[in-house]
Every structure is written in C-alpha cells, then in structure tokens.
Amino acid sequence: MSYVTGAIYPQQDRIRMGVTQSEVLDAYREGGASVALGYMTPNARELRELQQTFNLHELALEDASRGHQRAKLESYEGSLFAVVRPAIYLDAEEEVRLGEMHMFLGRDYLLSIVNDQIHPQQAVYERFNLIYATPDGSPIRLLHRIIDQTVDGYMPVLEGLENDGDEIEDALFQETGAGDRTLSRRTYELLNQVADFQRACKPLDMMLARIMQQIRDGVLDVSPYMGATATEIAQEKDELQRQFRNIQDHVVQVKERLEDLRTSLQNTFTVHDTIVAQQQNEDMKRISAGAAILVVPTIIGSIYGMNFEDMPELKWTYGYPASLVLMVVACVAVYLFFKKRGWF
C-alpha cells in the first residue's frame, strides 16, 4: 500500500490526522475542508484516482508516474506541480544520495508523493505527520514546510562534502606513487557528487522566486483558513513571502558554498597535476643523471676495445687498472657535477 498518511483541515473543527485515504478523498469531495495526502511510490491505479478526484493535469501526472525528474515548478490551471530533491549524506560510504518528492498544490489540497527509496516508509510517515500536524495547515503553508525541511536537510550534506574536500586538501601534499591515483579518483568522485547536488539545488532559487511572485499577484490562494477576512489574507500574504524569502536565502548560501567547494576541488586537481608533473620531472632528472654516469665507463671501455695497434696503453702493464681507475674517477666526477645541481 503506497498511501502513507493524510490529514483533513475542516473549517471549524480540529485537524483530523491519521485518517484513511478514502476518508480524505470523501472529505475533499464533500467540500468545506482542505486536505493533505502523503504517498510513497503510488501505483498507476492510485495516481489515476488522484487525477480524477483533484483534476490533475495529464503532463504532471505523467512526470509523477515516471519519476527521475529534476527539481522544477510548473503551473497548470488552478494548480502547481513542484519537484524537490531531498538529500542525505552517508558517512560510511562518504556519498550523497538524492531523493525525489513530487507535490501537487491546489486551492484546497496538497498531494505529496515520495518517489525514491532513500528513506524507509516509517521515516516518511513520521515526516508527513510532523508537517501535516499544524494548526495553520493551508496547502501553501504545507508546501512551505516541505521545501523548508528539504533545504534544511541540505546543510548536513553540504558539511559532509566540505569535510571530504578538506581531507583531500590535507592529503594533497602527503600522498605519492599509488596514492596519487587514489587521490585523483577520490577528487573526481567528489566533484561528480558536488555537481549532482548542485543540479538538485540550482532550480530552487527560481522556483521560490516564482512562488513569491504568484503570491504577490494573487495567483495562489493564501487564505489561512476558509472565511478569512481581506486583512488576514493580506497579512498572510506578507508573512508567506517573508517565509519563502528566508528559504531562498538559505538556498543561495548552499549554492555559493557548493560553488566554492567545486572551485576548490578543481584547483586541487590542478595543483595535484602540477605536483605529479614536478615529481615526474625530478624522476627524469635522476634517470638522466644515472644514464650519464653509465655512459662514461661505456665510452672509455669502447675506446680501449677498438684494439688499434698504435694504442700504447694496450701493452702497458698497468693499463687495465688504470682504465678502471679512470672510469671510477670519471663516474664520481659526473656524479658530483649532477649532485651539485640537485639532480640527486
């Protein structure tokens, strides 16, 4: 059963929590109440029932059924379709997992569909109940709480990524040899995670701006309850704009910190490549200097190996030890020459 929980907000009575799906749908059909429903990966039959009850747009329903959507906000006649990407950070795996939540917002309803498996159903149930169990449970307020909780959940994820980035920077000047490949792979994987997280966060800024614009223009119904006066609606409109603007500020902070982290990781790649190139250059110097030392005895040996008759050293009694001494002296001289220039 994909239905998780629901709530009914009558005009005068207290909130009814933990009601069945049929009770919520009947209350909406009867009118005089706002409703909120929470689902976890609903099947096609349930989505079709929701479409018929709430007159959901076909394109929005298609996106909700397929999943794998980017964060976005789309307006349809009398309703909004929003997608946000909750995130969690797994310490053991040092990995970010992105979820997916679809929301349909209308004048008297909010449908929330969790379309991922990063949270168990019990955690989803508790989260929905915490969001829905509020006295000011207008649909727009519930939407605000869901987006606010999603953005608040980005902070520990961001801190985990930043800690990983700090660890990479600390290891940058310590690891050599096989560690170079490990550090490069870890930096590349972290860059990919940052890029995925950025794609989840980036659209939120524009989404929140559009929601605030629709609140200002009166497109969205912001009545705190049925029968609210014009003054109360105006006050609620101002308060909601402040609340959504506060979320937008947090989103901007997350985006800026992610961009700083991405720049830092790209710089780490550059510095790492420079360090590796310098290490390879030093290795080439040592190899070249060693080859130069070996060339000296090779030249001496090849000269005396030509066996010309007019080479008096060939018949000299001390010619052999002298040639060996000459090789040793020449090799030591070449070694000291390169040693003085820092090649060893």
Side-chain angles (χ1 to χ4, degrees), residues 140-141 211-224 229-245:
I140 188 65
R141 280 279 186 174
I211 291 174
M212 288 187 288
Q213 183 63 47
Q214 293 195 21
I215 292 175
R216 284 192 296 268
D217 296 342
V219 177
L220 291 178
D221 179 35
V222 298
S223 303
T229 65
T231 301
E232 290 172 331
I233 293 175
Q235 293 174 348
E236 180 72 0
K237 182 182 296 186
D238 293 339
E239 179 61 24
L240 279 171
Q241 290 184 75
R242 283 191 290 268
Q243 295 291 339
F244 278 108
R245 191 177 299 111

Side-chain angles (χ1 to χ4, degrees), residues 126-160:
E126 293 174 356
R127 182 186 182 190
F128 278 148
N129 279 343
L130 182 63
I131 293 172
Y132 293 167
T134 172
D136 53 348
S138 63
I140 188 65
R141 280 279 186 174
L142 297 178
L143 176 66
H144 165 266
R145 286 187 175 85
I146 291 176
I147 298 178
D148 187 37
Q149 283 196 6
T150 299
V151 174
D152 287 344
Y154 287 166
M155 293 303 176
V157 176
L158 180 58
E159 291 171 359

Side-chain angles (χ1 to χ4, degrees), residues 324-336:
L324 294 180
V325 171
L326 178 60
M327 291 180 187
V328 172
V329 171
C331 289
V332 171
V334 174
Y335 171 79
L336 294 176

Side-chain angles (χ1 to χ4, degrees), residues 305-340:
M306 289 187 290
N307 296 322
F308 289 118
E309 292 184 0
D310 293 332
M311 295 178 66
E313 295 86 353
L314 293 178
K315 296 181 181 181
W316 184 31
T317 303
Y318 301 102
Y320 175 69
S323 64
L324 294 180
V325 171
L326 178 60
M327 291 180 187
V328 172
V329 171
C331 289
V332 171
V334 174
Y335 171 79
L336 294 176
F337 173 81
F338 287 115
K339 180 72 173 179
K340 185 177 180 180

Side-chain angles (χ1 to χ4, degrees), residues 44-319:
R45 180 188 59 80
E46 290 171 320
L47 287 175
R48 187 60 58 185
E49 184 178 11
L50 293 177
Q51 182 188 28
Q52 294 172 354
T53 302
F54 298 98
N55 193 28
L56 305 179
H57 197 278
E58 187 71 29
L59 293 178
L61 195 73
E62 181 180 350
D63 289 343
S65 62
R66 290 183 177 180
H68 305 290
Q69 301 293 313
R70 60 179 178 84
K72 62 180 180 179
L73 178 71
E74 295 179 350
S75 299
Y76 297 98
E77 295 181 3
S79 66
L80 286 180
F81 175 64
V83 180
V84 295
R85 304 296 305 274
I88 60 173
Y89 180 79
L90 304 178
D91 289 321
E93 294 83 355
E94 294 185 339
E95 182 180 348
V96 177
R97 296 282 177 85
L98 292 172
E100 188 173 343
M101 181 179 287
H102 301 170
M103 291 166 289
F104 295 89
L105 175 71
R107 178 181 178 86
D108 301 324
Y109 65 86
L110 177 73
L111 312 179
S112 304
I113 298 174
V114 176
N115 206 1
D116 64 73
Q117 300 296 331
I118 67 173
H119 297 100
Q121 185 167 350
Q122 181 62 29
V124 174
Y125 171 78
E126 293 174 356
R127 182 186 182 190
F128 278 148
N129 279 343
L130 182 63
I131 293 172
Y132 293 167
T134 172
D136 53 348
S138 63
I140 188 65
R141 280 279 186 174
L142 297 178
L143 176 66
H144 165 266
R145 286 187 175 85
I146 291 176
I147 298 178
D148 187 37
Q149 283 196 6
T150 299
V151 174
D152 287 344
Y154 287 166
M155 293 303 176
V157 176
L158 180 58
E159 291 171 359
L161 290 174
E162 289 176 336
N163 288 335
D164 289 345
D166 292 339
E167 291 175 2
I168 289 175
E169 289 183 353
D170 293 339
L172 181 60
F173 296 98
Q174 298 175 3
E175 298 188 6
T176 57
D180 290 336
R181 294 186 292 273
T182 301
L183 186 63
S184 296
R185 182 173 62 252
R186 189 179 180 192
T187 305
Y188 179 77
E189 291 173 351
L190 187 57
L191 264 173
N192 283 339
Q193 293 186 48
V194 170
D196 291 340
F197 195 23
Q198 281 183 311
R199 283 192 287 270
C201 298
K202 188 175 181 180
L204 287 177
D205 191 3
M206 185 176 297
M207 287 173 56
L208 293 166
R210 286 183 58 192
I211 291 174
M212 288 187 288
Q213 183 63 47
Q214 293 195 21
I215 292 175
R216 284 192 296 268
D217 296 342
V219 177
L220 291 178
D221 179 35
V222 298
S223 303
Y225 56 88
M226 293 185 179
T229 65
T231 301
E232 290 172 331
I233 293 175
Q235 293 174 348
E236 180 72 0
K237 182 182 296 186
D238 293 339
E239 179 61 24
L240 279 171
Q241 290 184 75
R242 283 191 290 268
Q243 295 291 339
F244 278 108
R245 191 177 299 111
N246 180 64
I247 301 177
Q248 189 179 38
D249 291 340
H250 293 167
V251 171
V252 171
Q253 292 177 20
V254 172
K255 288 171 59 178
E256 290 176 349
R257 289 172 63 179
L258 279 174
E259 188 60 35
D260 291 342
L261 177 58
R262 185 171 185 173
T263 301
S264 176
L265 291 173
Q266 290 172 338
N267 291 338
T268 299
F269 251 134
T270 302
V271 173
H272 179 261
D273 291 343
T274 301
I275 293 174
V276 171
Q278 290 177 343
Q279 183 64 43
Q280 291 175 343
N281 188 46
E282 292 298 322
D283 293 340
M284 287 302 300
K285 284 183 178 181
R286 294 186 181 92
I287 294 173
S288 300
I293 293 174
L294 294 177
V295 166
V296 173
T298 302
I299 293 175
I300 296 175
S302 62
I303 291 175
Y304 283 97
M306 289 187 290
N307 296 322
F308 289 118
E309 292 184 0
D310 293 332
M311 295 178 66
E313 295 86 353
L314 293 178
K315 296 181 181 181
W316 184 31
T317 303
Y318 301 102

